[in-house]
Structures are given as structure tokens and as C-alpha cells.
């Protein structure tokens, strides 16, 4: 590890960088990193459980594993200033019913709403590569924009990205997968993401963002950064063309219902 930073500081630093790239507005984006006891023993007593967080964590092979995870509702902008509030370290319980909080979420918080997708992805990637450790979700701007103008066919999407920068095919020879628009924060999007992660380390969520997996924070971030750079070139060289995909009014209503918000009267069809 560079300098003398611990893994939590590394996550916070990455969150700051991603915020400054403009990808993580408000509470957008989340990061999780699987760690060993030795990575955190300097500042965490793993025998001491601060509190138990109810969660369906029936992830067999991950039971007992430790994760550094950004908190739900927390802003990437604020991670570095107050990591102990915005980031937590949890252990997946053997009983499949709860997470043990060992450090962080100091204001009573809990892990990201996308934890299910993160853990499903960790389980799948770990089977493919025992050195796998990191999952990052972010709202990478140009990648998101591309899902409005490009077909969502995975082969075509990947081929377009590969052609945008010379090194793309070297960085992600496995290509990218694409999920159509789906409600976020659900087990279903988690299952679908993990399924795609069997073949590619990048999964694009149409009209939402991107998921990337890697062995280190740098590797997972570098993957996303490279895809995003290619998407930026694509968007910049795009002729004025019609948008062919969008979030429909039906999907907006589904969101409003799922999150219990009252939408401006008459503004949806
Ligand atoms: O809340 O990005 O997808 C953070 C998100 C959800
Ligand atoms: Zn998101």
C-alpha cells in the first residue's frame, strides 16, 4: 500500500477522486472491498461487535468474511472528511441473518443499498479468481450517456468501446456486459449483475451507471476509468443522433412507488 494509509483511508481517497470526476453526485455510487483481519487489525478489534445489522446474507462461501463498505445515503464528497461515519467494516454472519458491524457507521448508518449486488458479485468473481477483492459501483457520466444513444447489445457495445481507445481491448479483453434498465437496490438487479460478472468484470446498468470488479481498488477503478474514457470519446465523436433508449414513465412510476416519494402531480403520463 502507498504511504501509510489503511484500507479505509484508501477507500475514502478513491471516493474523493471519483467525486471529483463528477461521477458520484449526492449519494451516488458505492464501494466494497473484501479484507483480511491483518488488513484492519491495527485499528479494529475483530472480537468486538459494535452492533448487529439485519441482512439476508445467505452467501455460503462468503460467511465469516470481512468487508469495508461505503454507507447507504453517504456522499462520496464527504468520505475523506469523516470516514468513520460514512464507511463501515462488517463481517458476514454464519447464521445468514445479520451483519456484524466491527467499525464505522458511527451515526447509526448501514451499508449501501446495493450491498446485495456487491456481495453476489464478490461471490461470483471469487470463484473465477481467488485474488478478487473489490467491487465499485458509480454513475460514470459518459458511460451512462452512451446507454441512451447506443444499442444495448453487449457485443456491439463492447466493440464500440474497444474501437475508441487503442488500449481498451488490452485492459478489458473480456468486454463489458449490459443490463437493461432495472429498479436499483433490489435483489433482482443483484442476481442479474452477478450472472453477468461470470463472464465480464464490467457490467453497465443502462440509464444508471456501471459496476466494476477487480483484485485491488486501483484495478477495479482503472477498469471503470478506461471504459468511461472510451465512452467519452464515443460521445464526443457522435454525430447529432437521436436518443434510442430512455427511462420510461412507467419505470419512473415504479421508482416513485418503490421509494415512496410523491411525484409532481400531472408530470408523468
Ligand atoms: O445510492 O448509486 O444505485 C447509491 C447508488 C444506488
Ligand atoms: Zn447507483
Amino acid at each position: 500500500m502507498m504511504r501509510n494509509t489503511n484500507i479505509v483511508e484508501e477507500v475514502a481517497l478513491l471516493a474523493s477522486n471519483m467525486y471529483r470526476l463528477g461521477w458520484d453526485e449526492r449519494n451516488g455510487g458505492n464501494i466494497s472491498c473484501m479484507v483480511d483481519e491483518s488488513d484492519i487489525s491495527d485499528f479494529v478489534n475483530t472480537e468486538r461487535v459494535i452492533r448487529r445489522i439485519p441482512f439476508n446474507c445467505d452467501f455460503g462461501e462468503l460467511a465469516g468474511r470481512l468487508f469495508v463498505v461505503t454507507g447507504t445515503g453517504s456522499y462520496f464528497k464527504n468520505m475523506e472528511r469523516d470516514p468513520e461515519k460514512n464507511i463501515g467494516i462488517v463481517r458476514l454472519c454464519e447464521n445468514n441473518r445479520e451483519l456484524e458491524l466491527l467499525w464505522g457507521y458511527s451515526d447509526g448508518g448501514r451499508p449501501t443499498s446495493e450491498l446485495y449486488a456487491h456481495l453476489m458479485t464478490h461471490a461470483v468473481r471469487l470463484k473465477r479468481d481467488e485474488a478478487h477483492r473489490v467491487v465499485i459501483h458509480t454513475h460514470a457520466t459518459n458511460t451512462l450517456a452512451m446507454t441512451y444513444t447506443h444499442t444495448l447489445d453487449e457485443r456491439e457495445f463492447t466493440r464500440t468501446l474497444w474501437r475508441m481507445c487503442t488500449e481498451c481491448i488490452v485492459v478489458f479483453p473480456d468486454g463489458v456486459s449490459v443490463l437493461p434498465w432495472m429498479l436499483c437496490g433490489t435483489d433482482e438487479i443483484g442476481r442479474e449483475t452477478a450472472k453477468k460478472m461470470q463472464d465480464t468484470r464490467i457490467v453497465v446498468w443502462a440509464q444508471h451507471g456501471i459496476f466494476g470488479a477487480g483484485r485491488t481498488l486501483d484495478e477495479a477503478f482503472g477498469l471503470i476509468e478506461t471504459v468511461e474514457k472510451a465512452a467519452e470519446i464515443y460521445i464526443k465523436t457522435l454525430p447529432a443522433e437521436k436518443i434510442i433508449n430512455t427511462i420510461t414513465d412507467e419505470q419512473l412510476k415504479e421508482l416513485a412507488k418503490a421509494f415512496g416519494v410523491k411525484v409532481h402531480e400531472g408530470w408523468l403520463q
Side-chain angles (χ1 to χ4, degrees):
M1 214 168 278
M2 285 176 266
R3 269 198 296 136
N4 228 357
T5 46
N6 68 43
I7 183 66
V8 169
E9 289 163 337
E10 291 289 328
V11 167
L13 184 64
L14 175 60
S16 290
N17 284 332
M18 290 171 67
Y19 171 71
R20 284 191 287 266
L21 288 165
W23 301 350
D24 297 284
E25 72 291 343
R26 201 170 177 273
N27 63 321
N30 25 81
I31 301 170
S32 67
C33 178
M34 196 160 54
V35 291
D36 294 326
E37 267 194 53
S38 58
D39 296 321
I40 56 170
S41 53
D42 280 357
F43 62 103
V44 179
N45 174 0
T46 53
E47 305 290 305
R48 198 180 133 256
V49 176
I50 298 173
R51 70 187 143 90
R52 295 175 184 279
I53 302 174
F55 186 78
N56 166 26
C57 39
D58 190 6
F59 298 93
E61 63 274 41
L62 295 182
R65 290 275 197 164
L66 301 163
F67 292 88
V68 177
V69 191
T70 56
T72 186
S74 60
Y75 288 28
F76 272 25
K77 177 171 77 70
N78 300 335
M79 297 259 160
E80 240 185 315
R81 202 167 48 195
D82 195 352
E84 196 153 0
K85 180 175 131 195
N86 295 299
I87 300 171
I89 300 179
V90 295
R91 180 164 48 214
L92 255 64
C93 261
E94 308 281 348
N95 71 7
N96 294 335
R97 291 260 183 286
E98 54 197 8
L99 304 166
E100 293 173 332
L101 178 66
L102 303 178
W103 185 91
Y105 305 145
S106 60
D107 67 344
R110 48 178 289 131
T112 168
S113 58
E114 304 295 0
L115 184 62
Y116 194 87
H118 280 251
L119 293 178
M120 289 290 284
T121 298
H122 281 296
V124 164
R125 289 308 311 171
L126 206 52
K127 275 196 202 124
R128 297 297 308 263
D129 173 12
E130 65 180 32
H132 161 83
R133 290 292 180 274
V134 174
V135 175
I136 300 173
H137 164 61
T138 179
H139 301 165
T141 314
N142 294 283
T143 307
L144 218 163
M146 189 169 159
T147 67
Y148 285 81
T149 58
H150 195 283
T151 167
L152 302 181
D153 178 87
E154 293 170 338
R155 179 171 178 271
E156 290 307 315
F157 205 93
T158 297
R159 285 165 50 78
T160 297
L161 291 171
W162 280 344
R163 287 193 297 256
M164 291 299 132
C165 305
T166 299
E167 293 192 341
C168 278
I169 197 161
V170 182
V171 177
F172 52 98
D174 44 342
V176 306
S177 299
V178 184
L179 281 182
W181 186 90
M182 293 175 72
L183 188 62
C184 52
T186 62
D187 291 3
E188 193 194 353
I189 202 167
R191 279 192 297 272
E192 294 303 317
T193 302
K195 249 191 245 167
K196 301 279 189 191
M197 282 282 181
Q198 283 176 359
D199 299 319
T200 69
R201 293 161 300 157
I202 289 281
V203 180
V204 173
W205 286 5
Q207 291 89 46
H208 182 139
I210 190 168
F211 255 76
R215 294 176 167 185
T216 61
L217 291 170
D218 269 356
E219 192 188 71
F221 173 74
L223 259 180
I224 294 175
E225 191 181 28
T226 308
V227 168
E228 169 63 9
K229 176 65 177 273
E232 182 177 0
I233 308 292
Y234 168 80
I235 293 293
K236 283 188 164 151
T237 54
L238 194 69
E241 196 178 284
K242 267 178 61 184
I243 290 174
I244 60 166
N245 306 301
T246 192
I247 300 177
T248 65
D249 275 19
E250 280 315 306
Q251 290 166 339
L252 291 173
K253 282 182 198 161
E254 194 182 339
L255 280 167
K257 189 164 166 235
F259 288 89
V261 294
K262 191 174 171 327
V263 176
H264 196 298
E265 197 66 43
W267 284 14
L268 287 178
Q269 306 246 311

